[in-house]
Amino acid sequence: MAELFSAEWMEAFGEKWNLEPELADALAKIHFNSVIGYGFEGEANPMGVITVKDGRVVSANTYEGQKLNWDLRAGRQDWHQWISRGLNMMGLSMAYMTRRLQFQVGDYTAMIKDPRMARPFVKSFSVMSKV
C-alpha cells in the first residue's frame, strides 16, 4: 500500500474518485472545479493535491506549490481512522468542531450548508478507503 498522500496514493485516489457516481457525477452536476490539498496538521504544506474540473479529478500528485481552493489537515491517526471507518455528517461536524479536521484554506461553513457539496465531501472519505 502506498504511503498516505504520496503521488502514488493520490493518483489511485483520483481514479477511485472518478469512478464514484455519488462523488464525481454529483459534483459534475454543479460544475465543481477546485484544487484540493491533503496533509497533516503542523506541517507547512499539504502532501498531496488533486485538481478537479467539472467534478472529475484531472490531476493528482504531490503538492508543488499549487494555489489551493481547499487545504484539509488532520493528524495521521485521524486520517487513518476516517479512511478505515468512514465519516458521516455527524462525525464530520465533530471533527471540525474539535479541530481534528482543519480547513486551512476553504470555507467549511459554506460547504456544509450546501448538500450538493456536503454529501460528496463526506463520500470522499469512503472513496479514500478504496485506495
Side-chain angles (χ1 to χ4, degrees), residues 4-129:
L4 186 61
F5 305 137
S6 67
E8 182 182 354
W9 193 94
M10 294 305 295
E11 288 175 23
F13 177 51
E15 290 171 10
K16 301 293 184 191
W17 173 302
N18 289 340
L19 293 173
E20 178 53 59
E22 291 180 52
L23 186 52
D25 293 350
L27 291 174
K29 288 178 185 175
I30 62 169
H31 305 288
F32 181 80
N33 299 307
S34 209
V35 180
I36 308 168
Y38 298 88
F40 302 107
E41 64 185 353
E43 294 187 0
N45 294 308
M47 285 190 62
V49 64
I50 59 172
T51 301
V52 180
K53 295 208 189 276
D54 283 325
R56 305 256 184 266
V57 174
V58 296
S59 71
N61 213 319
T62 55
Y63 178 74
E64 296 176 356
Q66 300 93 325
K67 181 173 172 28
L68 301 171
N69 303 104
W70 300 91
D71 183 353
L72 309 176
R73 305 294 185 90
R76 288 180 192 276
Q77 287 183 321
D78 289 321
W79 280 119
H80 287 292
Q81 177 184 336
W82 298 327
I83 290 169
S84 66
R85 295 184 187 159
L87 191 65
N88 59 24
M89 290 297 280
M90 180 65 86
L92 172 62
S93 295
M94 289 301 298
Y96 178 74
M97 289 188 316
T98 60
R99 299 208 29 88
R100 288 176 56 205
L101 178 61
Q102 300 167 26
F103 288 69
Q104 296 203 348
V105 176
D107 187 350
Y108 170 81
T109 305
M111 181 271 298
I112 205 69
K113 287 181 179 178
D114 185 346
R116 300 171 310 160
M117 287 180 63
R119 285 188 200 105
F121 180 75
V122 169
K123 186 66 177 178
S124 72
F125 286 86
S126 66
V127 169
M128 287 180 182
S129 72

